[in-house]
Each structure stands twice: as structure tokens, then as C-alpha cells.
Amino acid sequence: AQTVTQSQPEMSVQEAETVTLSCTYDTSESDYYLFWYKQPPSRQMILVIRQEAYKQQNATENRFSVNFQKAAKSFSLKISDSQLGDAAMYFCAYMYSGGGADGLTFGKGTHLIIQP
Amino acid sequence: NAGVTQTPKFRILKIGQSMTLQCTQDMNHNYMYWYRQDPGMGLKLIYYSVGAGITDKGEVPNGYNVSRSTTEDFPLRLELAAPSQTSVYFCASSYWGGKETQYFGPGTRLLVL
């Protein structure tokens, strides 16, 4: 079974600075998808960014980018120019690409604090 | 579009009681999912459905049942509630599986005492 590990329970960054959240995963599959979800205090789950494992190019979405290292099974999230609204729990998630019916496998999350 | 809606938002149950958590999506999505989120943890998959009439177990299905009679609705039934079922429950949907974005509902917070 696949597992997702987020080794940083909490991270703190100054507003306007850059922060990187770590994620490693374990799978025997070669074709899969990886995601970062944001969960603010409202509890709403919001997709931040996704990466297809077959793509070598790292995904970017405005201030959010990933460093995807397939051989190392690493998938970190970089947030540039941190804003107060970025404060939230961030979850790394994995999904096998074979139909996707298995649902997402989540890590335990990283609590991101933005210092003004 | 309302997206994915869940009712109720919060509920307190006594041990042994039963209840149904409602989930409705108006995006004509084929896939629907139920997850639970325990304190300090990520979400875990309870059940999923790939279309009306088709459901299957996820990682933590014990104590729950689901049905999918329509594309829009995917209710989650708790029978004989136990304190271990205290959690926040999220429903999600996507058009297909795989890389398709899963859209989440706002969650139902359940407390079993």
C-alpha cells in the first residue's frame, strides 16, 4: 500500500519570504498523481497544485511550485512571497492513476504559520 | 453551481444511535468519495463510488454503509455509532478519477458521546 509522509508538523515563515514544505511517498507504481491541498481554519479542502508522475517538468501555479524528484519519491511545495492568507494546514496527497477509484492517500499535514 | 454540499454541518450522537450524512453534488460528476479526518491527521478514504449503483470500500469502511442511487447523491450511513467515529467527514467528487480535481464539501463534524 502507498504511504505519504510529511515530516514537518509545523513551519513558520515571515510574510513575503519563501518557504518549502516537504513530502515523501512510497509506492510501487510508476504512473500516479501527486497533489498539494490547503485546508484553512474553515476546513474547506482547496487544491493548490498537482503533478503527473510521467511529466518531468515541475508544476507551477503562480506563487506555488513543486520540486518533484521521482527517483527519490519526493514532492516538496515551495511558496514564494508568502502572504497572510497562505496560513493553513497543507496536505500532500497521492493517487494511483489506474482509474483513480482508490481515492487520495493523504499525509498528516504541515501547519504553516505566516509571521507578519 | 453549489458544488458539493453536505448536511448537517455538526451533529452530536449518543453511542449506539444511527444517522445518515448527506452529500449532493451538482456538477454531474461520476466519481464520489467519503473521507474522514481525525484530529491531527490527514483524510482517510471510507467509501467511494464510480457511478450510480456502484460503490466500493476504501481504507476504513468498518461501521459505515453507502448507497448511490443517483449521480448527484452519495449518503453515508453510520449504524450503531461509537466514540471512535468522532471525526470530521468530507464528501468529494470528480468527473473521472486519476488526475481529475476532487472537489470537496465543507465537511460534517460528528461527535459521538
Side-chain angles (χ1 to χ4, degrees):
Chain A
Q2 59 277 355
T3 58
V4 177
T5 302
Q6 294 179 249
S7 58
Q8 306 153 317
E10 187 172 279
M11 292 283 285
S12 182
V13 64
Q14 291 289 130
E15 192 176 4
E17 296 293 306
T18 295
V19 63
T20 299
L21 308 185
S22 300
C23 173
T24 58
Y25 58 94
D26 188 25
T27 182
S28 58
E29 305 294 343
S30 61
D31 199 13
Y32 49 87
Y33 305 103
L34 296 165
F35 306 82
W36 278 98
Y37 275 87
K38 172 184 178 181
Q39 187 180 44
S42 66
R43 286 205 308 261
Q44 183 70 45
M45 295 292 288
I46 303 164
L47 178 66
V48 175
I49 199 165
R50 69 174 167 219
Q51 173 81 42
E52 288 95 330
Y54 64 86
K55 288 186 177 179
Q56 291 188 334
Q57 186 173 7
N58 289 325
T60 62
E61 287 286 345
N62 300 315
R63 297 183 295 108
F64 299 87
S65 62
V66 298
N67 183 3
F68 173 49
Q69 302 289 328
K70 191 172 184 179
K73 295 181 181 175
S74 171
F75 182 60
S76 61
L77 174 70
K78 185 171 84 171
I79 306 174
S80 303
D81 186 26
S82 299
Q83 300 175 0
L84 294 177
D86 296 333
M89 286 291 294
Y90 286 81
F91 292 95
C92 179
Y94 163 102
M95 177 178 272
Y96 171 52
S97 68
D102 289 340
L104 292 159
T105 298
F106 286 86
K108 292 184 178 182
T110 296
H111 181 210
L112 179 63
I113 299 168
I114 310 295
Q115 304 281 4
Chain B
N1 287 353
V4 180
T5 57
Q6 293 183 237
T7 56
K9 290 183 179 179
F10 175 63
R11 181 79 181 268
I12 298 174
L13 276 184
K14 293 183 179 179
I15 294 171
Q17 287 185 322
S18 300
M19 77 166 291
T20 298
L21 281 66
Q22 301 293 344
C23 175
T24 300
Q25 53 91 8
D26 63 358
M27 297 174 283
N28 200 32
H29 284 170
N30 296 288
Y31 286 58
M32 294 188 75
Y33 306 85
W34 274 106
Y35 296 89
R36 60 177 285 173
Q37 184 180 27
D38 298 331
M41 302 292 286
L43 283 68
K44 291 187 177 181
L45 183 67
I46 305 171
Y47 270 97
Y48 64 90
S49 169
V50 300
I54 306 170
T55 64
D56 208 345
K57 297 177 181 178
E59 183 183 358
V60 289
N62 291 344
Y64 307 95
N65 278 301
V66 294
S67 60
R68 182 113 181 258
S69 58
T70 67
T71 299
E72 295 78 21
D73 300 306
F74 190 41
L76 178 71
R77 177 80 178 165
L78 277 72
E79 304 283 0
L80 299 175
S84 61
Q85 292 178 305
T86 293
S87 192
V88 179
Y89 292 84
F90 289 95
C91 180
S93 73
S94 63
Y95 190 64
W96 293 116
K99 69 176 182 181
E100 292 283 334
T101 299
Q102 287 191 20
Y103 294 87
F104 284 81
T108 293
R109 183 168 169 242
L110 177 65
L111 185 59
V112 181
L113 300 173

